[in-house]
Amino acid sequence: NAGVTQTPKFQVLKTGQSMTLQCAQDMNHNSMYWYRQDPGMGLRLIYYSASEGTTDKGEVPNGYNVSRLNKREFSLRLESAAPSQTSVYFCASISGQGFNSPLHFGNGTRLTVT
Amino acid sequence: DQQVKQNSPSLSVQEGRISILNCDYTNSMFDYFLWYKKYPAEGPTFLISISSIKDKNEDGRFTVFLNKSAKHLSLHIVPSQPGDSAVYFCAASYTNAGKSTFGDGTTLTVKP
């Protein structure tokens, strides 16, 4: 099993450019999440999707949009990238079997905005 | 206001000794706590968790202790091994462990 797969692994954007970060999970999990991690800091929740067809804002949603394309895929879009969005982005999923299931993370997308 | 704090950015211990990583939280609504381990260029992986109805949970070399009155939890690793060298994140949640609040992490180095 691949688990949670994120593409691309690395990306450099210029200010104002747009891009979509892709995420797919093969564990048949119901809920999916996008977190960002800035240097020396913990992970902060951007958006999440509790189930197919639903999305909700997390702690730091400004400047992002998401799409839950189907049960497997959850994408994150930056419409107009800013240097403050330079970060490592992690996608994660959770089985939803009870509220206290841990997150399964992908290996991240390292984004630099110049 | 940071709701989950890991006040030690780094910790160095000798192989075979005990590693103790600490975490403090401020939100009394948190009812589930998790520790994740992260190697460079990889995503965090789940290590161990504890519910607020317990004060201790063990899994092999890893034990998590929860002191609700002090709003403090700790992760003990005994004995520590070089492969344990990683960044450890404390996370807290209520109602949904997917919507966790993370600490800034502690980098553990285990010296052979």
Side-chain angles (χ1 to χ4, degrees):
Chain A
N1 277 347
V4 178
T5 303
Q6 293 184 237
T7 55
K9 289 185 170 55
F10 301 94
Q11 184 71 48
V12 179
L13 292 178
K14 293 187 187 322
T15 297
Q17 287 184 319
S18 63
M19 78 161 296
T20 299
L21 282 66
Q22 307 287 352
C23 174
Q25 52 91 10
D26 62 3
M27 296 174 285
N28 201 35
H29 285 174
N30 292 320
S31 304
M32 297 184 74
Y33 301 80
W34 278 104
Y35 281 85
R36 61 178 285 177
Q37 185 194 8
D38 298 330
M41 295 180 67
L43 288 79
R44 291 182 293 168
L45 182 62
I46 305 171
Y47 268 94
Y48 67 100
S49 170
S51 61
E52 190 177 350
T54 68
T55 61
D56 283 290
K57 295 179 180 179
E59 180 188 355
V60 288
N62 290 345
Y64 306 95
N65 285 300
V66 290
S67 295
R68 182 74 183 268
L69 305 170
N70 47 56
K71 190 171 185 179
R72 290 187 64 247
E73 297 173 287
F74 188 38
S75 62
L76 178 72
R77 182 160 178 83
L78 287 71
E79 291 290 352
S80 178
S84 61
Q85 294 178 304
T86 293
S87 190
V88 181
Y89 291 85
F90 291 101
C91 177
S93 67
I94 205 167
S95 69
Q97 298 299 320
F99 290 114
N100 293 331
S101 300
L103 290 158
H104 297 257
F105 285 92
N107 283 334
T109 293
R110 186 175 295 273
L111 175 67
T112 302
V113 183
T114 61
Chain B
D1 180 33
Q2 197 167 8
Q3 297 188 66
V4 178
K5 291 184 182 179
Q6 294 177 254
N7 290 319
S8 298
S10 62
L11 175 67
S12 182
V13 301
Q14 208 65 35
E15 181 179 6
R17 306 295 285 268
I18 184 170
S19 295
I20 300 176
L21 293 86
N22 294 303
C23 178
D24 296 296
Y25 62 96
T26 57
N27 189 339
S28 58
M29 295 288 289
F30 289 141
D31 60 5
Y32 195 64
F33 303 89
L34 309 95
W35 286 93
Y36 291 87
K37 175 179 175 180
K38 184 183 180 305
Y39 292 118
E42 294 184 9
T45 56
F46 169 69
L47 191 58
I48 193 169
S49 62
I50 188 166
S51 164
S52 61
I53 63 173
K54 294 186 175 182
D55 55 17
K56 178 182 173 182
N57 188 27
E58 269 184 280
D59 184 1
R61 295 187 296 115
F62 303 92
T63 303
V64 57
F65 296 92
L66 175 63
N67 182 333
K68 287 190 293 293
S69 61
K71 294 191 178 68
H72 176 84
L73 66 156
S74 61
L75 173 68
H76 292 210
I77 307 173
V78 184
S80 301
Q81 299 173 354
D84 295 330
S85 297
V87 178
Y88 289 78
F89 290 102
C90 169
S93 68
Y94 56 94
T95 74
N96 183 346
K99 294 169 58 181
S100 286
T101 299
F102 284 78
D104 289 345
T106 295
T107 300
L108 174 65
T109 303
V110 181
K111 297 180 179 178

